[in-house]
Amino acid sequence: MASTTEILENLKAMEAAAADNAAVQEVEAAYEELAPTLQHDAAFLCQRNSFRVQNAVLMAIPRPKVLLGLINGSIYPNFHTMPLLRVADVASLSTDAKDERPDRIPFNIITDTMDDAVNKLPLGFQPDIYWDPQACGGSTTPRGLASLPFMTVAGFCHHHRAVELHNLAYSYDAICPLSTTYAEIFRSTLPQKEIFDLPFGVNWGSFHHFIPAGGASAEREIDILLTFDGANTPIYGQYRAKVHEAFQAFKEKHGDKYRLEIQHGLSRTDYLGYIQRSKIVLNAVGLHGPYNYRLCEAMNAGAAVMQIDAQYATGDQKIGSYFKEDEEIILFDESSFEAKALALLENPDRLSAVASAGKARLESEYSYEMLYLKLLQTVQETVQAKGGKLNRLPQETASATRALAMFHSNRPEKQITSLLDLPIAAAQMDMQFESALLPHLKCYTAMVTPENLANLYGEHEALQKFPQNALEGYKACFDMIDKPSLTDRWNMAVLCYEAGDRETIRLLGLFQELLKAEPGEFSAMSFFTTGFNIEGFDEQFHTEARVNLLNLGVLTSLGDGERISRAIQGYMLFWVCILLAHAGDTSADWQARANAFLG
């Protein structure tokens, strides 16, 4: 029997020899005949996809066509892409300008728009959907999505970045939130948007094709495995620490009878080895949703999952919408952990049944292929129901909301692209250009500027001050604002403080103004700075303030403008108090006041 390498070489030879349309379709038939056997072979999937995309206009066997965003910009394929190649033909954006593969579309995030990408697609490749499963994660939303003649869909996986996501949602026709809880929140917040409540937000699914199960439960030498540290974090709250406390208490009483392991910070290979040798794997989920990668990995490895029942400000995590409690997953709290763990360990048949049932549900209903098919079907049904009409913002308004989302990502590689549409954003938001430019100045100096971007704003006075003197640049820009708003004053105060100006008069005045702010003064759709770094405060401190004071308030506001404004106001007041305490002002106990905002 020929090896996979030989099969692929033969198919390549057939492609090269195909002299007419009929011969190309014979090659297509050969690929499709082999697909059931080689559907999990990465090399085969990539070669078949490349062939089908390049020859899209001649393909006789129809398959959905997907234009994939920058989730695969530099790395292709990955675990998101491989299952998609099984059910669809995929052209994907590539950040490599020299990429010559027909199914990889070179895309410069600074200079290109989606019109450029579409013009590079092979003849006959007409996408049914633009899809990015991590639009708020490692991917960057390109400019020009509103011009595409097909539906655009984003997977949202980091819901604690609520301000960014609130703005980013306007760039897409449809959103796939991470879970039912977040789908309900987005339906209330953005009723004009299509919200697809699909399992895992189609962001992840079963990993059984590359995480094989270990042996039977009875053969596994580790009884309970804990694979994360016990630190409190803004995203996981105290739940990881609570799991550690319950585990340690259990170990003190039963450690002589059972093998109980804590292993974290492992390499990928070692981590998989441990979960494949464990009967029970413990889990804690964060603010993101009711499941995480660990849950899927442990179930795929054949372990029973015990998960602490986490309750966040966003409401019930609703794990029961995905897995049956006590049959496919075991939920516990501090008081019930011991009894529930013993109930499994002392009853091997039940332990095995829970592990098997969870694994079966995950691998059948939540395989990537099943999730992608549901996504494609949902898109088709939605487009048909709308008669092909998509409810979109005008192009310039969409450019403004995208600029806001990229700015609020607090990731330099994304914020750079916000600068490109800043004049449009300022005009659409009816604000003076310098008000939009002020919080972006740091982004401008932080990047390696290609010539076309360096000259974007000509000889603007504020930019002439950078990077030699940041404070002078901020002051020049602020002085050009005719009627500074409270948001302008906030931006000026925190940016100057970060740049070394410890003047407390500005902060004291801002504090009083913030206290008197009118209801609805602030909006999530504005350029207010949160990505500053003050010496003496680590990133976790900044993240905790952003999550607990700002983003949770926006997330739970359900679109109520006054509640969003209060969340932003509280965040600003907290930081003004922190900076006054940091600067040594003694006119009040500023640390105590800051603590009061944290609750």
Side-chain angles (χ1 to χ4, degrees):
M1 182 177 178
S3 67
T4 302
T5 300
E6 291 171 330
I7 291 172
L8 294 179
E9 288 175 352
N10 289 339
L11 288 167
K12 273 291 185 186
M14 289 177 65
E15 289 182 42
D20 53 31
N21 295 354
V24 170
Q25 291 174 356
E26 287 178 9
V27 179
E28 175 190 18
Y31 271 113
E32 298 311 308
E33 183 179 352
L34 289 164
T37 304
L38 297 175
Q39 64 176 318
H40 300 304
D41 186 280
F44 171 81
L45 289 173
C46 289
Q47 184 170 308
R48 177 181 67 159
N49 188 70
S50 181
F51 165 79
R52 289 189 60 88
V53 171
Q54 183 174 24
N55 297 284
V57 72
L58 298 176
M59 293 296 94
I61 301 170
R63 277 162 53 91
K65 296 180 177 65
V66 176
L67 180 54
L68 189 66
L70 285 161
I71 182 65
N72 279 164
S74 59
I75 300 174
Y76 175 87
N78 68 358
F79 67 89
H80 290 291
T81 319
M82 293 304 300
L84 185 57
L85 296 180
R86 297 185 192 113
V87 300
D89 296 338
V90 181
S92 54
L93 301 185
S94 169
T95 54
D96 182 358
K98 298 180 180 179
D99 201 327
E100 296 181 350
R101 289 170 288 184
D103 54 348
R104 296 285 283 157
I105 312 302
F107 190 86
N108 185 314
I109 195 64
I110 300 294
T111 60
D112 289 345
T113 70
M114 287 308 298
D115 286 341
D116 298 307
V118 169
N119 289 336
K120 296 174 186 176
L121 291 172
L123 181 66
F125 191 89
Q126 299 176 339
D128 301 297
I129 174 180
Y130 173 91
W131 164 242
D132 195 323
Q134 285 198 352
C136 60
S139 188
T140 299
T141 297
R143 293 183 296 152
L145 287 178
S147 69
L148 295 179
F150 41 87
M151 180 166 273
T152 60
V153 188
F156 279 4
C157 52
H158 297 302
H159 289 283
H160 63 282
R161 300 175 183 167
V163 177
E164 176 189 355
L165 267 59
H166 181 88
N167 289 291
L168 189 58
Y170 290 99
S171 291
Y172 294 88
D173 298 314
I175 303 301
C176 291
L178 195 60
S179 69
T180 295
T181 295
Y182 290 109
E184 293 171 354
I185 288 174
F186 269 92
R187 286 195 181 109
S188 297
T189 305
L190 298 167
Q192 72 275 37
K193 282 291 169 186
E194 295 295 331
I195 307 300
F196 296 163
D197 184 7
L198 298 173
F200 301 87
V202 200
N203 185 266
W204 63 74
S206 176
F207 304 125
H208 59 281
H209 295 312
F210 55 90
I211 299 182
S217 289
E219 301 169 358
R220 298 177 178 223
E221 67 265 30
I222 300 172
D223 293 295
I224 301 178
L225 177 66
L226 176 54
T227 61
F228 48 86
D229 64 35
N232 293 331
T233 69
I235 311 304
Y236 283 86
Q238 299 179 345
Y239 289 107
R240 286 185 166 187
K242 289 181 178 181
V243 174
H244 270 259
E245 291 170 7
F247 179 89
Q248 293 293 358
F250 187 90
K251 189 172 185 177
E252 288 179 10
K253 292 181 66 174
H254 306 287
D256 57 340
K257 184 177 181 181
Y258 298 108
R259 181 175 171 183
L260 312 171
E261 293 257 358
I262 297 178
Q263 297 287 343
H264 56 84
L266 301 170
S267 69
R268 181 72 179 168
T269 300
D270 289 343
Y271 166 72
L272 293 179
Y274 271 99
I275 62 175
Q276 288 166 332
R277 301 199 309 275
S278 299
K279 297 174 183 175
I280 298 171
V281 172
L282 303 184
N283 193 34
V285 295
L287 182 59
H288 306 89
Y291 34 60
N292 54 16
Y293 284 171
R294 185 182 300 103
L295 180 147
C296 298
E297 292 160 345
M299 284 186 173
N300 285 143
V305 173
M306 290 187 66
Q307 179 168 295
I308 190 166
D309 189 8
Q311 300 293 325
Y312 293 96
T314 48
D316 186 358
Q317 296 264 21
K318 299 186 179 179
I319 185 65
S321 299
Y322 307 95
F323 296 99
K324 294 179 182 178
E325 186 178 351
D326 294 328
E327 293 182 26
E328 297 166 342
I329 189 171
I330 306 297
L331 297 185
F332 67 89
D333 57 25
E334 302 98 303
S335 62
S336 65
F337 175 74
E338 180 183 12
K340 290 190 172 185
L342 288 173
L344 290 178
L345 293 172
E346 293 175 354
N347 187 340
D349 289 341
R350 179 163 182 257
L351 191 157
S352 179
V354 170
S356 297
K359 186 176 189 301
R361 169 67 69 90
L362 177 64
E363 295 181 3
S364 58
E365 293 189 32
Y366 305 138
S367 70
Y368 267 106
E369 292 90 338
M370 289 297 295
L371 297 180
Y372 282 135
L373 288 171
K374 286 181 181 179
L375 171 63
L376 293 166
Q377 180 182 356
T378 303
V379 168
Q380 182 181 41
E381 292 172 351
T382 302
V383 171
Q384 289 175 347
K386 287 180 165 291
K389 296 181 180 178
L390 300 173
N391 182 23
R392 285 180 174 167
L393 295 173
Q395 180 70 54
E396 291 192 345
T397 307
S399 295
T401 57
R402 180 195 168 280
L404 283 162
M406 296 301 97
F407 172 76
H408 284 293
S409 71
N410 288 327
R411 297 176 67 153
E413 71 275 14
K414 295 188 179 187
Q415 289 178 317
I416 292 169
T417 70
S418 178
L419 280 162
L420 298 168
D421 290 327
L422 208 53
I424 295 174
Q428 287 293 307
M429 296 162 66
D430 195 25
M431 66 190 303
Q432 193 173 331
F433 173 69
E434 282 72 23
S435 289
L437 179 61
L438 177 61
H440 281 84
L441 287 174
K442 189 171 63 171
C443 313
Y444 189 95
T445 59
M447 65 188 176
V448 178
T449 31
E451 184 176 349
N452 65 315
L453 189 57
N455 295 327
L456 188 61
Y457 306 132
E459 300 298 319
H460 195 286
E461 181 181 347
L463 296 178
Q464 303 310 307
K465 307 290 185 180
F466 284 83
Q468 291 82 5
N469 193 321
L471 282 171
E472 288 300 316
Y474 292 140
K475 290 174 181 176
C477 193
F478 185 79
D479 288 345
M480 296 176 73
I481 301 173
D482 295 332
K483 295 181 180 179
S485 67
L486 258 178
T487 298
D488 294 325
R489 296 187 187 283
W490 157 260
N491 288 334
M492 183 63 175
V494 296
L495 291 170
C496 285
Y497 197 97
E498 179 186 35
D501 183 350
R502 301 298 191 255
E503 179 185 318
T504 58
I505 294 176
R506 181 188 293 116
L507 291 168
L508 288 166
L510 178 61
F511 181 78
Q512 293 302 321
E513 287 187 89
L514 286 170
L515 287 177
K516 298 172 184 176
E518 295 290 330
E521 170 75 27
F522 304 103
S523 169
M525 301 181 76
S526 62
F527 292 112
F528 62 93
T529 297
T530 62
F532 50 90
N533 295 294
I534 309 299
E535 185 179 353
F537 301 99
D538 61 19
E539 179 56 31
Q540 180 161 320
F541 185 87
H542 284 275
T543 302
E544 184 174 2
R546 279 196 297 267
V547 171
N548 294 334
L549 289 174
L550 175 61
N551 284 305
L552 270 178
V554 172
L555 191 59
T556 58
S557 70
L558 302 183
D560 184 308
E562 288 195 10
R563 290 176 63 186
I564 291 173
S565 181
R566 285 197 298 272
I568 297 170
Q569 179 187 19
Y571 174 79
M572 291 178 176
L573 281 165
F574 167 79
W575 266 110
V576 171
C577 292
I578 288 292
L579 296 184
L580 283 166
H582 187 259
D585 185 87
T586 57
S587 61
D589 187 345
W590 295 110
Q591 187 62 57
R593 289 196 174 192
N595 293 341
F597 286 107
L598 282 176

